[in-house]
Amino acid sequence: MHEMLAMYDKESAYRTFRGPLLWISFGLLVLFALYQLVSIYFFTVPPQIHRPIHLAFGLGLIFLLYPARSKSDKSKIGIAGILLSIVAFLIPLYWVYDYEGLVMRTGRYTELDLVIGGIGILLVLEAARRVVGWPITIIAIIFLLYTYLGPYMPGFLEHSGKDLDRIIGHTFYTLEGMFGTPIAVSATFIYLFILFGAFLEKTGVGQYFNDLSLVIAGRRIGGPAKVAVFSSALQGTISGSSVANVVTSGAFTIPMMKRLGYRSEFAAAVEASSSTGGQIMPPIMGAAAFLMAEFLGISYWEVAKAAALPAILYFTGVWIMVHLEAKRLGLRGLTQDELPDKREVLKKLYLLLPIFVIIAVLAMDYSAERAAIIGIISCVVVGAFRKETRMSFADIVEALASGSRMALGVIAATACAGIIVGTITLTGIGLKLANGLIDLAGGSLIGTLFFTMIASLILGMGTPTTANYIITSTIAAPALIQLNVQELSAHMFTFYFGIVADITPPVCLAAFAAAGIAKSHPIKTGVESTRLAIAAFMAPYIFVLQPSLLLIDTTWYGAIVVMLTSVIGMIGAGAGLIGYWMAPLNPLERLLAVAGGILAIIPGSTTDLLGFALLAVIFALSVYKSKRNKSMPKEA
C-alpha cells in the first residue's frame, strides 16, 4: 500500500530507515508531537516563537525523510543530507535566537539577517518541491520574480518593483509572509486534527469504516460501488488526502466492483470521485477548511456546518450515478457469504464515538484546538473498550510519530503558500488580478464564477488543495465578493473546485491512483470520475446563487427545500448522463433529462417548475418503456 501511495502522492514517498537513523527520525517525530501538544495545551508560546519552531521541526524532518530525487535509495541518507537537515532545522530558529533584535531592526536588517532569510526562503521552496511537487514551487518562484521585476511587467501588472532586501525582509521577517496565517493555522488547528486522525486510525477505525459500509450497502444493487461511496465518505472524516483515501478503501472496493461486472474505468472512477469528496465531508474536512475559518474570522464549526448540505449533495450525486449504472448493467449486490458478520460489526459501533465527540465539542463553541485534544483523548478511551482496539503505550507513541509525519506536507505547502501571500500583499497584485478577472468576464457573475472555477482547476493540477485554496481565495474570492457574493460562499466556491481538481484531467492524482489499482486507463478514469462527480461541479454554483444551501441567513425549512430540489435535479441529470432511468434512454431523452436536472438545480421557483415538468415527462416515458419491456415475450 505504501508503494502505491508513493507513486501518486509525493507526501508518501519518504525514506524508511533502518538502525540508528530509524530511531533518531522516529524520536524527532515524537518530540515534534510532544512539543505541539505541550505548547498548545499546557502553556502559550507567542506566535512569533511558536511558528518558527513549528517550521524548524517541519523543515528539519522534511530534509531528513524526503530525498532530493524520487528515485533515490530511500533506505539511507548521506552526510550532506544530514547536514542539510540540521541547517534546515536551525534557520527558522534564528527568529527565536534573536527575536528582540529583529523587532528592533524591523526594516533595517543586517547582512546576516538577509543571508539567513534568503537561505530560509530557498529551503522552504526546496522542501515544498520534495514533499508537494514542482507546481507550487514554480508558482512561488514566479510570484517572487514578479515582485522583483515589477517595472518590466506589461499593462496593469506593472508596479514599482521591490529590491531583494525588501523581499527577503517582508517574506521571512514579518507575519505577512512565510510566518503568516497559513503556517499559523498549520501550527495549531491543522496539526492537531491530523494527529487526531492518526490516533483514530490506530484504533482500527479505518478498517471498521470498510466493514460498516459493507454491512449497510453491500447487498444493494451494485453493492461494492455503493460501499466505495459510503466508506470514502467515512474515511474522509479522518483523512484530508484524496489519494490516501483512494488507496486505503480502493484496495478492496475496486477489485470487488470489477468482480461483479463494473468496467475498470468506472470502478476506479467511483473510488476516485468518492475519495475526493472526503475532503469536503464534515466534521474533519481538508486542511484548507481550517484556513478558511481563520481567513474569514469565524469558528471552524461554522465552516463545517456550512459544508454539511453540499457534502451530502455531493455523495448523493455519486450514489445516484452508481445506482443507475448498476441498474443499466443489471449488476447484483454482494451475497451474505461475501459480507462481514453483521453482529460483530455492530458491536464495534463505539469506534465512531470520537467523531461524535468532536462534533459535540465544536457545536458547544469550544475552540478547534480543544476539540482536537479532546478527540485524541477520546480515541484512547474508546479504544480501551475492547482488547482488539486497545492502544498500548507503543501504539500511542507510534500515533504521535505518524501524526507528525503526515503533517509535513501541510507544513511545506503552507510555508510556501505564505511566500506567495507575502508577495501578493507586498505588490497589491491580488486586487489587480481580481479586477482583471471581473473585466475578463465582462462584469458577469456567472462568467466570473466560470473563470474562477477554471483557475482553481488549473492550479489544482498537482498543487495540494491547501495551497490552491490560499492562492484562489486571495485572488479570485475578492472578485466574487465585489460582485456581492456572500463571503463564505465565495471562499467555499474556490475551496470546492480546488478539491475537484484531484479528479479533473489532465492531471488528476486521485484518478491516477485509482487507475493504478484497477489497471485502467488514467485519463479515461479521470473523465469518468468527472462525470460521476457532476454534483461537485453544480453544488458551488447553487450555494453562490442560493446561500441557504450553506445555512446562511435561512431556516432549516428553506435549506431543506433547496436540498430536495437539488437532489431531484441530480437524479435527472444523472439519468441523462448514464443513459438509464427506469429503462434505457435514447439520445433526445438523455438531453432533456440533463436539461431538466439543471433547471431543477438552478435556484428559483420558475426554473424548478420547468425542470420538474421536463423530468416528470422523461420519468413517465421511462416507466412506460420499462413496463412495455417487461410485458414483451422473451425470445426463446
Side-chain angles (χ1 to χ4, degrees):
M1 183 179 292
H2 179 255
E3 289 76 13
M4 174 66 71
L5 263 174
M7 287 175 61
Y8 302 101
D9 182 17
K10 285 187 71 67
E11 292 181 31
S12 300
Y14 52 85
R15 291 184 172 108
T16 50
F17 295 123
R18 295 174 184 172
L21 278 175
L22 169 63
W23 294 108
I24 290 171
S25 59
F26 184 82
L28 288 172
L29 288 167
V30 174
L31 183 63
F32 184 20
L34 293 175
Y35 164 73
Q36 286 287 149
L37 291 171
V38 169
S39 65
I40 290 173
Y41 196 71
F42 292 102
F43 61 87
T44 302
V45 179
Q48 296 89 339
I49 302 298
H50 179 56
R51 296 175 196 178
I53 294 176
H54 179 77
L55 183 60
F57 271 111
L59 290 181
L61 285 164
I62 286 169
F63 284 100
L64 181 65
L65 295 176
Y66 290 85
R69 291 174 295 180
S70 58
K71 294 182 180 179
S72 300
D73 185 349
K74 294 185 176 61
S75 63
K76 57 185 179 182
I77 183 174
I79 297 297
I82 294 173
L83 292 175
L84 184 58
S85 172
I86 294 170
V87 170
F89 178 78
L90 293 175
I91 287 292
L93 295 183
Y94 185 65
W95 261 74
V96 181
Y97 168 73
D98 195 24
Y99 171 63
E100 291 185 4
L102 289 170
V103 171
M104 297 296 294
R105 295 194 297 273
T106 300
R108 303 185 308 277
Y109 300 111
T110 66
E111 188 173 335
L112 178 62
D113 296 338
L114 295 172
V115 168
I116 289 177
I119 293 172
I121 293 170
L122 293 174
L123 287 171
V124 166
L125 292 172
E126 172 60 10
R129 185 194 69 82
R130 291 190 183 199
V131 186
V132 185
W134 272 110
I136 186 175
T137 309
I138 291 172
I139 292 170
I141 292 170
I142 289 171
F143 271 87
L144 285 169
L145 289 173
Y146 170 76
T147 307
Y148 183 73
L149 300 173
Y152 307 102
M153 292 293 108
F156 72 91
L157 293 176
E158 183 182 357
H159 65 93
S160 60
K162 311 297 176 185
D163 58 31
L164 283 177
D165 291 5
R166 181 77 187 281
I167 293 171
I168 293 172
H170 185 82
T171 303
F172 194 80
Y173 292 113
T174 73
L175 296 185
E176 294 182 18
M178 191 187 299
F179 295 104
T181 300
I183 200 73
V185 178
S186 170
T188 50
F189 313 133
I190 297 175
Y191 181 90
L192 287 178
F193 274 91
I194 289 174
L195 193 60
F196 167 71
F199 270 81
L200 199 58
E201 189 66 38
K202 269 295 177 184
T203 65
V205 77
Q207 180 58 45
Y208 181 68
F209 283 157
N210 294 336
D211 293 341
L212 182 62
S213 302
L214 282 166
V215 167
I216 293 173
R219 298 195 67 178
R220 300 179 182 275
I221 295 171
K226 291 176 179 175
V227 168
V229 177
F230 196 77
S231 65
S232 295
L234 291 174
Q235 290 283 358
T237 63
I238 62 172
S239 169
S241 168
S242 302
V243 175
N245 289 349
V246 166
V247 174
T248 301
S249 54
F252 87 99
T253 58
I254 290 175
M256 276 198 300
M257 283 187 269
K258 291 179 67 177
R259 191 167 67 246
L260 262 67
Y262 280 103
R263 293 177 291 113
S264 294
E265 280 79 15
F266 190 86
V270 168
E271 184 58 52
S273 56
S274 301
S275 293
T276 298
Q279 288 194 65
I280 60 174
M281 188 68 183
I284 305 169
M285 301 158 66
F290 295 94
L291 284 163
M292 190 187 306
E294 191 72 11
F295 286 162
L296 296 176
I298 60 178
S299 68
Y300 174 71
W301 172 245
E302 291 299 314
V303 174
K305 189 170 64 174
L309 292 183
I312 293 170
L313 190 61
Y314 177 93
F315 283 103
T316 300
V318 178
W319 184 285
I320 288 167
M321 300 284 277
V322 163
H323 176 77
L324 293 173
E325 177 77 357
K327 291 278 287 183
R328 185 179 73 83
L329 296 175
L331 302 179
R332 68 171 177 87
L334 297 169
T335 64
Q336 189 64 45
D337 293 338
E338 295 172 298
L339 298 173
D341 185 87
K342 186 175 181 179
R343 289 184 178 179
E344 286 300 312
V345 171
L346 293 180
K347 283 180 182 178
K348 294 183 180 179
L349 270 175
Y350 67 88
L351 287 174
L352 300 181
L353 281 175
I355 296 173
F356 290 106
V357 167
I358 285 279
I359 295 172
V361 174
L362 288 171
M364 289 188 289
D365 211 22
Y366 281 93
S367 68
E369 295 103 314
R370 176 163 293 189
I373 293 288
I374 293 173
I376 290 168
I377 295 170
S378 71
C379 288
V380 179
V381 173
V382 166
F385 289 176
R386 290 171 67 107
K387 184 178 180 180
E388 61 265 31
T389 60
R390 191 170 299 140
M391 296 176 67
S392 65
F393 177 76
D395 289 331
I396 292 173
V397 174
E398 285 176 10
L400 292 172
S402 178
S404 292
R405 184 181 49 72
M406 289 190 292
L408 296 180
V410 175
I411 294 170
T414 50
C416 194
I419 294 175
I420 297 169
V421 173
T423 63
I424 290 172
T425 58
L426 194 57
T427 61
I429 184 62
L431 183 59
K432 291 179 181 179
L433 290 176
N435 290 331
L437 196 62
I438 295 172
D439 291 341
L440 184 64
S444 162
L445 174 59
I446 296 298
T448 306
L449 289 171
F450 176 77
F451 287 125
T452 300
M453 175 186 75
I454 297 299
S456 298
L457 292 176
I458 292 173
L459 282 170
M461 293 180 184
T463 303
T465 306
T466 307
N468 187 340
Y469 166 72
I470 290 170
I471 299 167
T472 52
S473 65
T474 306
I475 295 171
L480 300 179
I481 294 167
Q482 283 186 51
L483 295 174
N484 298 318
V485 173
Q486 206 279 340
E487 198 172 14
L488 179 55
S489 298
H491 280 257
M492 197 70 81
F493 186 91
T494 63
F495 173 64
Y496 259 65
F497 282 111
I499 288 170
V500 173
D502 279 350
I503 54 170
T504 308
V507 182
C508 36
L509 296 180
F512 287 176
I517 298 172
K519 302 295 188 289
S520 62
H521 191 282
I523 296 298
K524 289 182 179 178
T525 300
V527 171
E528 196 77 46
S529 301
T530 303
R531 184 170 70 102
L532 286 176
I534 191 68
F537 289 86
M538 294 182 176
Y541 287 91
I542 298 171
F543 60 62
V544 165
L545 299 174
Q546 188 63 271
S548 56
L549 188 64
L550 298 179
L551 303 179
I552 297 172
D553 298 329
T554 188
T555 61
W556 277 101
Y557 171 78
I560 290 171
V561 169
V562 174
M563 188 71 183
L564 286 176
T565 57
S566 299
V567 169
I568 293 170
M570 289 294 173
I571 295 172
L577 290 169
I578 293 294
Y580 186 93
W581 204 335
M582 302 302 291
L585 304 178
N586 62 39
L588 178 60
E589 290 167 343
R590 293 180 68 173
L591 182 63
L592 292 175
V594 171
I598 292 173
L599 285 170
I601 288 168
I602 296 172
S605 54
T606 303
T607 54
D608 286 347
L609 290 173
L610 286 172
F612 293 162
L614 264 178
L615 293 178
V617 170
I618 302 302
F619 180 72
L621 283 172
S622 67
V623 169
Y624 169 74
K625 287 198 289 186
S626 175
K627 289 182 178 179
R628 186 186 64 186
N629 293 340
K630 288 178 181 178
S631 64
M632 290 176 65
K634 295 182 179 179
E635 294 183 7

